[in-house]
């Protein structure tokens, strides 16, 4: 998959493991780098759907964004780079047609 970042710190964390550990801590850094590698090794989002990390669509005011687990309660938030996001006739996202994502943030969106 194609991967981009809208956050310079998260991009640097993906490129520099020691920086990642300093900024995210050992556990979150390890999981973050694992998720980044999962993205890079996949051809499309569908390949990640049932992998460890619970990749899932968000709803409500975060519709059009996805998340996957890091260390609880934190999630890695990302969105497809395809515009518009591919939909089927029923309005469901077509995961297999999502070929790239933008990494947006790490957040505990349940606490808001």
């Amino acid at each position: 998959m194609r991967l981009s970042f809208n956050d310079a710190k998260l991009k640097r964390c993906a490129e520099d493991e020691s920086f990642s550990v300093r900024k995210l801590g050992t556990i979150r850094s390890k999981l973050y780098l694992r998720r980044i590698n999962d993205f890079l090794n996949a051809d499309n989002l569908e390949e990640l759907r049932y992998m460890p990390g619970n990749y899932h669509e968000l709803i409500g005011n975060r519709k059009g964004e996805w998340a996957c687990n890091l260390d609880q309660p934190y999630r890695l938030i990302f969105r497809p780079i395809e515009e518009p996001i591919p939909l089927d006739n029923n309005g469901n996202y077509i995961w297999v047609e999502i070929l790239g994502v933008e990494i947006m943030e790490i957040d505990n969106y349940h606490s808001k």
Side-chain angles (χ1 to χ4, degrees):
M1 292 183 70
R2 294 186 309 268
L3 198 56
S4 65
F5 298 83
N6 80 343
D7 181 285
K9 181 178 105 174
L10 290 178
K11 182 176 189 216
R12 183 160 177 212
C13 285
E15 298 169 343
D16 182 342
E17 186 174 352
S18 62
F19 179 82
S20 179
V21 170
R22 280 196 316 274
K23 294 300 179 183
L24 302 176
T26 303
I27 294 170
R28 190 171 305 148
S29 172
K30 180 180 177 181
L31 291 167
Y32 175 73
L33 293 171
R34 184 178 299 157
R35 302 295 178 251
I36 294 299
N37 283 326
D38 289 345
F39 284 119
L40 293 172
N41 290 318
D43 292 325
N44 57 64
L45 194 56
E46 180 68 26
E47 291 182 14
L48 301 176
R49 190 174 207 158
Y50 302 107
M51 288 186 66
N54 186 30
Y55 292 81
H56 57 282
E57 301 170 21
L58 300 179
I59 58 173
N61 65 340
R62 296 204 86 144
K63 186 164 178 60
E65 298 176 357
W66 272 252
C68 59
N69 296 346
L70 294 176
D71 54 321
Q72 294 296 337
Y74 291 94
R75 307 287 192 275
L76 177 61
I77 313 300
F78 58 95
R79 67 175 164 222
I81 58 174
E82 285 79 13
E83 290 192 28
I85 301 172
L87 297 171
D88 66 16
N89 292 333
N90 297 317
N92 299 311
Y93 294 118
I94 306 172
W95 288 49
V96 73
E97 292 183 14
I98 297 172
L99 306 177
V101 297
E102 178 182 34
I103 303 298
M104 298 173 57
E105 64 182 321
I106 293 173
D107 192 18
N108 173 12
Y109 53 78
H110 293 106
S111 68
K112 295 179 181 178

